[in-house]
Amino acid sequence: MASNLQMIPQVEQIHGEIRDNFRAIANGFQKLDKIKDSNRQSKQLEELTGKMRECKRLIKEFDREIKDEESKNPPEVNKQLNEEKQAMIKELNSYVTLRKTHMNSLGNKRVELFDGAGVSEPTAEENVQMASSMTNQELIGVGMKTMDETDQAIERSKKVVEQTIEVGVQTAVTLKGQTEQMGRIVNELDTIHFSLKKASQLVKEIGRQVATDKCIMLFLFVIVCGVIAIIIVKIVNPNNKSIRDIPGLAPPVPTTRRLLYVKEKRNS
């Protein structure tokens, strides 16, 4: 019947993906019957669970698309599309039941449609009731209920992920601000180190200049003291021949002694 359905390209593509997943799930269960190792069986069941999860998502997308196109299609086409959707839900539920059977055979007491979906442990009556004894409507109801519970679990997971992302963004902003602040501190420390180095060089230069000035002043002081000493000695003992005359300083004129000598000669 699916080949005779009138579907828009987008709906047809979704339908094809669902059918491809169903074939992969069927082949996976056939391989599962041939696997003897329990660990490999668990791994195979996990892979089949992922494909069933994808089928569930695609069926919901298929249902959303046909509802959007419902007003544009004739009633007969809408009926066929809804029947095809119900058939796919029934087929998915049969795989879910088959997965439960394999999980029970592996010794798992808690049966879940999807890992982490939060489905409660089935009662004894549900365990006794097999898929073959259930009506289509019952299978559809169980499948839709399980899908809704899985959607709720996924929404909770999304909220946790969003909160984690928000915390990560805030942490990244804080780290970025701290990194920039540390960069500014490092730049300031480099500037201070450079300023201290320049100041040290300047102090050394000033010290050398001060030492040079002190030597020059000391040398000038010694010269001045020497000149003053020579002048004093020359004045006190002008006849000292060991001391040369100071340029610009003429020896004393012996006028007074000549006058005294002339007066004494006349008196005699």
Side-chain angles (χ1 to χ4, degrees):
M1 181 183 68
S3 60
N4 297 327
L5 289 176
Q6 297 180 4
M7 294 180 285
I8 62 175
Q10 186 175 358
V11 176
E12 187 175 1
Q13 181 180 358
I14 297 172
H15 182 266
E17 292 179 2
I18 295 172
R19 286 301 170 188
D20 291 340
N21 281 315
F22 279 162
R23 284 191 291 270
I25 292 172
N27 294 332
F29 278 114
Q30 290 178 2
K31 293 180 181 179
L32 186 63
D33 295 333
K34 299 178 182 179
I35 298 175
K36 302 301 181 181
D37 184 61
S38 59
N39 293 329
R40 293 179 59 190
Q41 286 180 351
S42 298
K43 186 176 180 180
Q44 182 70 11
L45 283 174
E46 289 178 1
E47 293 178 358
L48 293 174
T49 299
K51 292 185 180 298
M52 284 187 281
R53 185 186 297 113
E54 180 65 15
C55 287
K56 173 253 180 185
R57 184 188 67 80
L58 291 171
I59 290 174
K60 293 181 74 68
E61 188 174 352
F62 180 86
D63 180 58
R64 185 166 53 251
E65 292 292 337
I66 63 176
K67 286 182 179 179
D68 291 340
E69 297 292 328
E70 188 175 5
S71 60
K72 302 177 183 179
N73 296 329
E76 184 178 356
V77 173
N78 291 329
K79 181 180 179 181
Q80 292 177 350
L81 291 173
N82 286 321
E83 289 176 353
E84 179 64 17
K85 181 191 71 173
Q86 299 299 335
M88 290 188 295
I89 294 174
K90 182 178 179 181
E91 186 173 356
L92 177 60
N93 286 330
S94 66
Y95 290 131
V96 171
T97 303
L98 186 60
R99 178 185 179 277
K100 290 180 180 180
T101 303
H102 283 283
M103 291 291 291
N104 289 331
S105 66
L106 289 174
N108 294 332
K109 296 181 180 181
R110 184 178 179 84
V111 181
E112 299 177 354
L113 174 60
F114 303 115
D115 294 339
V119 183
S120 60
E121 186 175 357
T123 62
E125 182 180 355
E126 292 174 342
N127 288 329
V128 173
Q129 188 178 17
M130 303 298 294
S132 58
S133 63
M134 297 175 66
T135 63
N136 293 342
Q137 191 64 31
E138 290 174 345
L139 287 172
I140 292 170
V142 172
M144 294 301 293
K145 180 181 178 181
T146 306
M147 290 180 184
D148 292 338
E149 292 174 349
T150 305
D151 286 340
Q152 293 176 2
I154 292 173
E155 290 298 326
R156 289 194 296 270
S157 300
K158 287 182 178 179
K159 291 180 179 179
V160 174
V161 172
E162 290 175 356
Q163 293 175 357
T164 304
I165 293 173
E166 184 178 356
V167 173
V169 170
Q170 294 177 355
T171 304
V173 172
T174 303
L175 288 175
K176 183 179 179 181
Q178 292 178 352
T179 302
E180 292 177 351
Q181 185 177 2
M182 292 181 66
R184 291 192 297 269
I185 292 173
V186 170
N187 293 333
E188 291 176 358
L189 288 175
D190 291 339
T191 303
I192 293 172
H193 178 72
F194 179 75
S195 300
L196 289 174
K197 187 175 180 181
K198 294 294 289 183
S200 178
Q201 293 177 355
L202 183 60
V203 168
K204 289 180 180 179
E205 292 177 359
I206 293 173
R208 286 196 295 267
Q209 292 178 0
V210 170
T212 304
D213 293 341
K214 286 183 178 180
C215 290
I216 294 172
M217 292 177 65
L218 179 61
F219 183 69
L220 292 175
F221 178 75
V222 171
I223 292 173
V224 171
C225 290
V227 171
I228 293 173
I230 292 171
I231 293 172
I232 293 173
V233 172
K234 194 68 175 177
I235 293 173
V236 173
N237 189 8
N239 297 322
N240 190 352
K241 302 299 182 179
S242 63
I243 301 175
R244 299 178 61 183
D245 295 335
I246 300 174
L249 183 61
V253 181
T255 307
T256 307
R257 290 186 177 182
R258 289 180 180 178
L259 293 174
L260 291 175
Y261 179 75
V262 173
K263 287 180 180 182
E264 288 177 0
K265 190 173 182 182
R266 284 180 183 179
N267 293 329
S268 60

